Amino acid sequence: MRSLYFRWLPNFITIGRFVLTPAAIDMIVTENWPAAFGVFVLAGASDALDGWLAKRFDLRTELGALLDPLADKALIVSIYATLALVGVLPSWLALLVISRDVLIIGAVAVSWLLQRRIDLSPLPVSKATTAAQLALAALVLATRAFAFPLDEAVLTLSVAVSALTVVSAAVYLWRWIRNMGP
């Protein structure tokens, strides 16, 4: 029998991601770019680790199924908003990324309030969108932390993030409308 602590390890790691998010924000605001990059990479790695542990050792829980996407959204929304506020990312891109997540959370909340069951499993386009959003944030932080001249890569990835974010939002909206129908 697995110990209670091991059983909840993925959830503890996810909660750690919630704790790392404000630390990364503070480091961005104070322009401590190497530390911000390191904390962000650690938060991203924690996402991969908690998911791997949950699947590999069958440690999935209902709480984890709720906390993990919320931790992802908190990290991404916070990082994009902060990078836009300090002038490193364009505001329109941050608003696009944030709007998608607000749309998803709002749709889930409305479904819950109306007592309509909704499938919360992530779609492949959503996983690709999240991966691209995380990659762009990491790339932007790395360019600041290590003075990498990667402006073209940032621009290219920004276009990809924009397209994936719009497509993902449209797919989720379509899925939600079908779910809410008669």
Side-chain angles (χ1 to χ4, degrees):
M1 183 170 137
R2 292 187 180 101
S3 77
L4 181 62
Y5 296 114
F6 186 71
R7 175 103 185 112
W8 284 87
L9 184 58
N11 292 343
F12 290 139
I13 293 169
T14 299
I15 291 166
R17 196 158 58 256
F18 279 110
V19 173
L20 289 173
T21 297
I25 291 166
D26 179 63
M27 292 168 192
I28 291 169
V29 169
T30 60
E31 297 185 6
N32 186 349
W33 299 111
F37 175 76
V39 168
F40 183 78
V41 168
L42 181 61
S46 78
D47 186 27
L49 179 61
D50 66 22
W52 179 79
L53 286 170
K55 289 176 187 160
R56 172 70 174 89
F57 298 103
D58 193 26
L59 301 175
R60 287 170 252 180
T61 64
E62 284 186 51
L63 179 62
L66 288 172
L67 285 181
D68 187 63
L70 287 176
D72 291 345
K73 292 187 182 331
L75 178 66
I76 289 170
V77 164
S78 298
I79 294 296
Y80 273 75
T82 307
L83 288 172
L85 285 173
V86 298
V88 176
L89 274 181
S91 297
W92 64 265
L93 181 57
L95 286 171
L96 184 64
V97 168
I98 293 166
S99 295
R100 172 192 171 261
D101 285 346
V102 168
L103 173 87
I104 292 169
I105 292 170
V108 169
V110 168
S111 298
W112 180 76
L113 287 171
L114 296 175
Q115 298 179 346
R116 301 292 294 261
R117 185 157 170 78
I118 188 166
D119 180 13
L120 296 176
S121 59
L123 302 169
V125 69
S126 176
K127 289 184 176 195
T129 301
T130 300
Q133 289 171 347
L134 290 171
L136 177 58
L139 183 63
V140 167
L141 290 170
T143 63
R144 294 295 172 151
F146 308 111
F148 293 145
L150 299 172
D151 293 341
E152 287 183 33
V154 169
L155 179 60
T156 302
L157 195 49
S158 294
V159 170
V161 164
S162 300
L164 282 167
T165 301
V166 168
V167 169
S168 175
V171 169
Y172 271 111
L173 184 59
W174 171 251
R175 186 179 182 191
W176 182 76
I177 289 170
R178 279 193 358 207
N179 183 70
M180 297 304 288

